[in-house]
Amino acid sequence: MKLYNKIKNYIPFNEQEAKDKDKMLRFIEENDDFLLRENLSGHMTTSIWTVNKERTKTLMVYHNIYDSWSWVGGHADGEEMLHEVAMRELSEETGVNNASLISDDIFSIEILDVAEHEKKGKIVPAHLHFNVTYLAEADEECALHINEEENKGVSWFTFDEALKASAEPWMVENVYKKLIEKL
């Protein structure tokens, strides 16, 4: 399992990541279906923190379900090469096709609580996203497009603007600030 080994070899940035890394490894060990959203207790997801070349801005989407500006991401849906899933999500959700993955190494890990919600007319029970984040760089002058199934907006923000735009305090304090600090 390449993903398991990448997570195992990942050096946590802080206490949150150290604890989440241990839980994530145990989850993978105990669940054969860890890559599938059919596992209703939790499953692997991936996000991509996309920055401009000057590393002064980040690309965010206005997420339909969370009703907030957020990073780009998606479900593994059986794929273990999460950096490829993250790049595909970036293209599908924003229209950005000229991004470069800074590295296929993990940039950040976090376990995210997902509240019960409705998607495509069906109730999705509360569950966990065992999330692996990658870092990408893109030209902020490239054309953007909205994927109406996923989001209501796509925009570049300075880091300060991004922190203010998100309506999710936990994400701001525990994820986005961490990602900015890691840069």
Side-chain angles (χ1 to χ4, degrees):
M1 272 194 276
K2 289 181 182 180
L3 178 59
Y4 180 88
N5 289 331
K6 282 191 170 222
I7 296 168
K8 186 175 182 179
N9 294 328
Y10 176 74
I11 299 169
F13 179 70
N14 58 21
E15 183 180 1
Q16 166 263 312
E17 286 196 348
K19 289 179 179 179
D20 287 355
K21 175 183 170 180
D22 290 341
K23 288 181 188 176
M24 200 174 288
L25 291 171
R26 274 196 314 278
F27 181 78
I28 293 170
E29 291 165 359
E30 295 170 359
N31 292 274
D32 291 338
D33 59 351
F34 68 96
L35 290 170
L36 301 171
R37 66 175 96 189
E38 286 77 17
N39 183 327
L40 298 179
S41 65
H43 38 263
M44 296 300 299
T45 59
T46 186
S47 296
I48 191 153
W49 188 247
T50 307
V51 296
N52 63 351
K53 292 177 183 178
E54 295 77 24
R55 306 272 197 304
T56 57
K57 293 183 179 179
T58 187
L59 184 63
M60 299 184 88
V61 296
Y62 196 91
H63 200 281
N64 289 343
I65 291 174
Y66 301 115
D67 198 24
S68 176
W69 286 100
S70 67
W71 58 6
V72 173
H75 290 84
D77 286 333
E79 294 186 48
E80 194 170 350
M81 303 300 282
L82 293 183
H83 63 284
E84 293 176 4
V85 175
M87 291 296 286
R88 185 173 58 249
E89 291 290 331
L90 178 61
S91 176
E92 290 173 1
E93 291 186 27
T94 69
V96 172
N97 294 313
N98 67 345
S100 301
L101 199 60
I102 302 299
S103 169
D104 65 357
D105 290 334
I106 295 170
F107 185 61
S108 173
I109 59 172
E110 43 279 316
I111 298 175
L112 309 170
D113 288 312
V114 178
E116 181 177 274
H117 60 277
E118 185 177 319
K119 186 166 186 176
K120 296 182 181 179
K122 295 184 179 184
I123 296 296
V124 177
H127 60 281
L128 296 174
H129 280 174
F130 294 86
N131 195 69
V132 174
T133 303
Y134 295 91
L135 179 63
E137 180 180 282
D139 179 358
E140 68 181 290
E141 299 301 320
C142 68
L144 303 175
H145 84 261
I146 295 170
N147 178 338
E148 293 179 4
E149 274 190 39
E150 300 285 336
N151 59 64
K152 295 175 186 163
V154 179
S155 187
W156 286 95
F157 292 92
T158 66
F159 297 140
D160 285 341
E161 291 169 341
L163 296 176
K164 291 175 186 166
S166 176
E168 300 174 278
W170 190 91
M171 291 294 292
V172 169
E173 290 301 317
N174 298 289
V175 179
Y176 302 147
K177 283 184 177 180
K178 173 184 68 171
L179 298 174
I180 292 165
E181 187 178 341
K182 287 186 80 167
L183 281 174

